[in-house]
């Protein structure tokens, strides 16, 4: 019996074709924004296929819902286009890409008080850990001595009896110097703990403006100093530049190697102010500039009449 020509041979779908279809299907998946494909893989065994796609989802989005939507679309689309049964479809979310929001998608306007950025609070791990260890050690030693006395019938430790006798005669009401100093130390420790509890700490970072509700960002002071220093260093004639950034003020000290002093001073001030304004801080920094001439500086010929003497060799007053 002869087999009809239409039934002869086999049709094989290559792994590469299935992989490309799965990658393309991932980019077509319904999501809050565009889905980017990093890489993908596929394995075909007979009439079954397994696909694995690594993607980058748009931010902000719910990862569980978006990932499941992409996985279901990849499995359904790949099975329909290849004619294979997709037994397993895995989606790996490798990153998030911030998407640009349209005018209709932007968050509703909120009051300025709601968008006010606050300094981040420190968790105070080091002081809390040290105090907890000291308290645990003292309580442990005292508990061991009490248990040994009442459970084993041992005599109390010499240090505990001496401490009780000393405390009975050197309390704060005895007007002894040691008792007063001990009370002052305990009082100072309590005040310090209260200050730590009610102050935010983390003085090394500056809060940034909040573009959306629920979003908080900070910028390290050292990074701010580096950015301002680099901007000032690009000014013609600027030599050594030092920048110190506080909570409210950025102090810039620069040396002038050549050029007009007043023009360089204005250029340094403008560069520092522009760099500080472009950082997106919640509270703009006040920039104070101090420019001084370096030993090798000489005034331009048209400003000193050709004498070659430096007209300014002392630091100028800081500008507000």
């Amino acid at each position: 019996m002869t087999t009809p020509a239409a039934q002869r041979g086999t049709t094989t779908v290559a792994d590469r074709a299935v992989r490309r279809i799965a990658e393309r299907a991932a980019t077509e998946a319904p999501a809050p924004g565009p889905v980017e494909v990093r890489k993908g893989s596929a394995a075909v065994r007979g009439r079954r296929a397994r696909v694995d796609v690594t993607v980058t989802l748009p931010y902000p989005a719910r990862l569980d819902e978006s990932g499941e939507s992409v996985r279901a679309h990849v499995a359904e689309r790949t099975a329909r286009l290849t004619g294979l049964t997709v037994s397993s479809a895995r989606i790996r979310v490798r990153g998030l890409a911030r998407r640009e929001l349209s005018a209709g998608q932007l968050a509703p306007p909120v009051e300025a008080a709601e968008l006010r950025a606050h300094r981040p609070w420190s968790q105070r791990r080091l002081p809390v850990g040290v105090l907890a260890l000291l308290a645990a050690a003292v309580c442990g030693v005292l508990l061991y001595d009490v248990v040994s006395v009442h459970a084993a019938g041992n005599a109390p430790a010499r240090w505990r009896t001496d401490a009780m006798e000393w405390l009975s005669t050197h309390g704060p009401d005895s007007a002894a110097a040691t008792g007063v100093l001990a009370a002052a130390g305990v009082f100072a420790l309590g005040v310090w703990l209260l200050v730590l509890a009610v102050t935010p700490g983390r003085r090394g970072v500056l809060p940034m403006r909040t573009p959306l509700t629920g979003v908080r960002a900070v910028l390290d002071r050292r990074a701010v100093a580096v950015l301002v220093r680099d901007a000032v260093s690009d000014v013609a004639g600027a030599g050594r530049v030092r920048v110190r950034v506080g909570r409210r003020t950025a102090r810039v000290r620069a040396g002038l190697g050549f050029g007009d002093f007043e023009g360089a001073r204005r250029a340094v001030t403008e560069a520092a102010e522009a760099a500080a304004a472009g950082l997106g801080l919640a509270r703009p920094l006040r920039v104070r500039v101090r420019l001084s001439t370096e030993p090798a500086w000489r005034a331009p010929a048209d400003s000193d009449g050709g004498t070659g003497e430096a007209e300014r060799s002392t630091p100028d007053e800081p500008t507000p």
Side-chain angles (χ1 to χ4, degrees), residues 54-236:
T54 302
V55 299
T56 297
L57 294 180
Y59 176 85
R62 295 191 59 175
L63 295 182
D64 53 351
E65 294 181 358
S66 300
E68 177 59 25
S69 176
V70 174
R71 190 203 65 78
H73 184 79
V74 168
E76 188 273 335
R77 184 75 167 168
T78 304
R80 184 157 57 89
L81 293 181
T82 61
L84 303 175
T85 300
V86 180
S87 59
S88 174
R90 294 200 304 175
I91 300 298
R92 301 172 184 264
V93 180
R94 185 56 59 86
L96 299 174
R98 184 174 181 179
R99 57 190 176 95
E100 298 295 334
L101 300 178
S102 61
Q105 295 175 322
L106 290 176
V110 295
E111 298 296 333
E114 296 181 6
L115 284 180
R116 184 179 179 183
H118 299 278
R119 291 176 56 195
W121 285 73
S122 174
Q123 296 182 2
R124 316 284 191 182
R125 290 191 177 96
L126 182 59
V128 172
V130 171
L131 289 178
L133 289 176
L134 290 177
V138 173
C139 293
V141 173
L142 181 60
L143 180 62
Y144 173 78
D145 186 65
V146 171
V147 171
S148 65
V149 171
H150 292 278
N154 298 328
R158 180 63 180 272
W159 62 267
R160 188 156 66 95
T161 57
D162 293 343
M164 295 301 298
E165 293 177 359
W166 186 88
L167 291 175
S168 62
T169 57
H170 295 78
D173 57 346
S174 63
T178 53
V180 174
L181 291 177
V186 173
F187 177 78
L189 178 62
V191 172
W192 180 60
L193 293 177
L194 289 176
V195 171
L196 293 181
V198 300
T199 55
R202 298 194 66 182
R203 308 181 67 87
V205 296
L206 299 175
M208 302 180 67
R209 290 193 296 268
T210 56
L212 298 173
T213 56
V215 178
R216 301 183 64 182
V218 296
L219 191 60
D220 191 87
R221 287 190 190 181
R222 291 173 295 184
V224 175
V226 170
L227 293 174
V228 176
R229 184 194 63 191
D230 291 345
V232 174
S233 299
D234 292 337
V235 176

Side-chain angles (χ1 to χ4, degrees), residues 11 13 18 31 42 60 110 121 127 191 219 244 249 252 256:
T11 300
V13 181
V18 177
V110 295
W121 285 73
V191 172
L219 191 60
R244 294 184 59 184
T249 307
V252 180
L256 181 63

Side-chain angles (χ1 to χ4, degrees), residues 254-266 289-300 303-304 307-319:
L256 181 63
F258 61 89
D260 178 63
F261 186 89
E262 293 298 334
R265 185 172 179 273
R266 288 193 298 269
V289 176
R290 175 170 294 182
L291 183 66
S292 60
T293 56
E294 295 183 350
W297 179 83
R298 293 293 182 273
S303 64
D304 61 0
T307 61
E309 296 180 357
E311 296 181 356
R312 294 182 182 269
S313 59
T314 58
D316 197 10
E317 294 295 328
T319 60

